[in-house]
Each structure stands twice: as structure tokens, then as C-alpha cells.
Amino acid sequence: MKIKEIIHVLEQYAAPALQEDYDNSGLICGNKDIDCMGMLISLDCTEAIIDEAINRKCNLVICHHPIIFRGLKKINGNNYVERTIIAAIKNDIAIYAIHTNLDNVIHGVNGKIAEKLGLQSCEILSEKAGNLRKLSVFVPEAGKEKLLNALFAAGAGHIGNYAECSFSTTGTGSFKAMEGANPVVGNKGERHLEQEIKVEVIFPSWLQQGVVKAMNENHPYETVAYYIYPLFNNWQETGSGIIGVLPQEIAVTEFMEQLKSTFKVPFVKHTAIVKDKIRRIAVCGGTGSFLLLNAISAGADLFLTADIKYHEFFDADGHLVIADIGHYETEQFTIDLLHDILTQKFTNFAILKTGQNTNPVCYF
């Protein structure tokens, strides 16, 4: 199995186009066309992780955080980033990062946190806009079913928990086949009228090439008439954070104890307890202060995240409880998430989870 086959599975789950502008997800180093001998999953990629990959005979490290965020002008081993890259290249180990694109899908990093908390009726806290396209294509009635099946197979027509969504209207199309044409219906040099169906489907922008290819290959006409429109709708399946509800209302102190147990943290940094009982919970793995106003607007009783600065705690302003349990701690189950995604696809392959805790923060 080639490394690129593994990458394909990961990018089907969380498309690279969903990463934030500042991010550097993707293949950091290595050759995607070589055989994968084993893969090691970690939250971070460090020198110790590369050593572990060598010892466990893995030539692919899959991590959440990219080891390189900015351009490197020199690679001479003066810091841990350069030393990690040097060690990986020397030992023919590829490094692949799947960061904010995995944050920005509903069943990604935040979905895993919500699962651990037992949240129900989960929704994206801040939905992304501008990632959807609409295809309108004109096809004769006899060709409609084959075309739709091909478009659905290419990933079009998926809305929330519904698949194979489309809309059709009937009308009359006209065309005149000129010299060199090979029309399926009508005669050359004559205007032809044909009862046609306008089929409309939506699809994620990054699937456009495949959707258009499927359309052209499964349409009966020699030249296909179609339009693609950008949509500015929010997409309910992608975006930042998650909000959901607990099965029942519980005391906030009991919830804090559950956080300590589930996430294995010695303590929880939090704002004043302004509500004795809570049920509606917002979460954001890693740095989440940018979502505080979204959590308040969504009516969250508590916002679970990390890396809240001193003055940002004031911004809760009595509306909800902020609970900060640490960056690594919120995202630690991403390792399990990636392992689950890959083992479901590759059932007879060495997919290993790191045995190391890469958290750079220690508690005394």
C-alpha cells in the first residue's frame, strides 16, 4: 500500500481545503509514492516520535499538529523543528499533518470531544460559508437517472444527514447541430427542440473537478449545457467548534469532576460558576477563545476549551462558565479518532498509536 492511499482516506474525511489560511496541513516531508511499512499516530511530531517510529518500524507519522508552520530558511539542527525534520528525512519517514481541516468537520476533533462528554444533538458552533457550489445541468428525460447516479457517486447531493438530494424542473431546450457535430438527437443544420430536465445538485467546492468529470462521462449529449454557481450559504457540516446537550441537566460541580476524570486533568481553570446546573455545552479543542461570543449567542451554559488568556476570562461576563483544561488535554482523543478512521479502512495493516505523551506542559 502506498502512502498516498492512506492520505487519500484522510483527505476524504477532512478535505485539505477546509484548513485555515494560517495552517500547514498535508504531507510535510516524504514521498507519497513509496510503500507504507507501518504508520504511527500522534498528536504532535517531535524527535522522540521519530525515534519511536524508527523503533516500531513505521515509515509514516500521522499527526494533528504540523511540525512546520512557517517557512524554514535553514535546516541545520538548531531547534527541535529542524532536528525532527532532519531525523525524518535521514530515516525515510514521511510526516503527514491533519490539523484545522480535521477541526472543521462535524465528526472531527470537536466531534470526538463531544462524544467523550456524551453530548447529543450536536451542531457546528460557527459554520463555514463559501464552501458550497450548485450545479445546474440540462439533460433529456431518458438520461436523467444515469446522470444523477453518477453525480451522487461523485459526492454531489449530500445535505446534512440526507444523501442523493436534487431538484428537477422540466422545459424545452433548443439547439442546431453545425458541421462537425455528432448529435444524439436532431439533424445537422436544423434547429431541434427537445424536452429536457434541469437537474440541480449541490456539492463541496473541492469536489468540482470530479463532479464535472462524472457529469461529462454520463451525459448523453456530445456537448453538455451546464452552470456552476458559488453559494454563500453556511454549511452545517463544517466549521469551528461543536455545541450539544447532555442527556439531562447536571450540577456544574459534578460536570467539572467528570472533566477531570475523562480528560485526566489535575484541575480545571474556570470562570465564576454563574449557573448551578448546566446542560447545553459548547466545545472547541485547542485554542478556542475566538468562539466565546458564538458560544454565548448559542445559549451555551458552559464552554469547554483551552488557552484562554487572563483578560479573556472576563469576556464570559456572567453569561456562561468557561472551563479551560489545556490544549493537549482537549485534543488528546484525536489520536483515537485517527486510529478509528484508518482501521475501518485498512483492517489488516499496522496502524499504531504512540505510547508517548507529547504534552510540553507539566503540572507540579
Side-chain angles (χ1 to χ4, degrees), residues 30 73 90 101 150 156 158 201 203 219 235 259 261 287 316 326 338 349:
K73 294 185 176 181
K90 275 187 174 181
N101 47 326
H158 189 92
V201 292
F203 59 89
H219 197 289
W235 190 10
L259 285 182
S261 174
T287 306
L338 290 169
F349 197 77

Side-chain angles (χ1 to χ4, degrees), residues 68-79 81-82 85:
I68 299 175
F69 265 104
R70 304 168 191 86
L72 297 177
K73 294 185 176 181
K74 296 181 179 65
I75 304 179
N76 50 33
N78 278 342
N79 57 55
V81 173
E82 295 173 9
I85 294 299

Side-chain angles (χ1 to χ4, degrees), residues 3-254:
I3 287 176
K4 64 184 177 184
E5 296 176 59
I6 298 162
I7 291 174
H8 177 73
V9 170
L10 293 172
E11 294 185 349
Q12 287 289 106
Y13 194 91
L18 288 173
Q19 69 177 300
E20 300 298 332
D21 293 341
Y22 63 81
D23 200 8
N24 190 37
S25 294
L27 188 63
I28 304 295
C29 69
N31 184 352
K32 67 181 179 180
D33 292 315
I34 65 172
D35 290 332
C36 182
M37 310 308 295
M39 57 187 107
L40 181 66
I41 303 171
S42 176
L43 193 67
D44 306 284
C45 188
T46 63
E47 294 170 86
I49 292 296
I50 297 300
D51 288 340
E52 183 181 4
I54 294 167
N55 292 332
R56 300 180 76 177
K57 302 188 186 322
C58 296
N59 66 339
L60 173 62
V61 171
I62 299 169
C63 53
H64 183 47
H65 297 133
I67 181 65
I68 299 175
F69 265 104
R70 304 168 191 86
L72 297 177
K73 294 185 176 181
K74 296 181 179 65
I75 304 179
N76 50 33
N78 278 342
N79 57 55
Y80 84 95
V81 173
E82 295 173 9
R83 291 192 297 271
T84 300
I85 294 299
I86 290 170
I89 293 172
K90 275 187 174 181
N91 292 279
D92 292 325
I93 294 173
I95 302 172
Y96 183 85
I98 181 166
H99 189 213
T100 53
N101 47 326
L102 192 60
D103 290 331
N104 284 334
V105 292
I106 194 166
H107 297 299
V109 174
N110 296 306
K112 192 67 175 178
I113 297 170
E115 177 190 313
K116 288 292 183 179
L117 294 173
L119 298 185
Q120 302 171 348
S121 304
C122 293
E123 299 175 346
I124 294 289
L125 185 58
S126 177
E127 297 172 350
K128 271 189 172 292
N131 285 308
L132 292 174
R133 302 286 185 270
K134 183 174 77 170
L135 168 69
S136 294
V137 55
F138 304 88
V139 63
E141 177 67 40
K144 175 187 173 184
E145 193 65 24
K146 179 183 178 183
L147 178 63
L148 271 177
N149 288 337
L151 293 174
F152 295 151
H158 189 92
I159 305 174
N161 293 323
Y162 296 86
E164 301 188 5
C165 302
S166 69
F167 185 77
S168 302
T169 51
T170 59
T172 303
S174 71
F175 55 85
K176 180 166 69 173
M178 306 300 287
E179 192 64 36
N182 185 25
V184 175
V185 292
N187 300 313
K188 290 182 182 180
E190 298 177 3
R191 181 187 300 162
H192 177 78
L193 301 180
E194 181 75 21
Q195 286 298 111
E196 293 179 332
I197 310 292
K198 181 171 78 169
V199 173
E200 296 182 301
V201 292
I202 67 168
F203 59 89
S205 57
W206 56 86
L207 294 182
Q208 180 167 321
Q209 183 177 358
V211 168
V212 172
K213 183 174 184 287
M215 176 195 71
N216 284 323
E217 290 178 350
N218 292 275
H219 197 289
Y221 286 172
E222 182 179 32
T223 301
V224 183
Y226 69 98
Y227 305 96
I228 292 176
Y229 308 91
L231 300 180
F232 295 96
N233 306 52
N234 288 346
W235 190 10
Q236 63 194 48
E237 296 177 38
T238 65
S240 303
I242 290 281
I243 187 162
V245 295
L246 294 166
Q248 57 189 17
E249 193 176 55
I250 66 170
V252 67
T253 52
E254 180 183 347

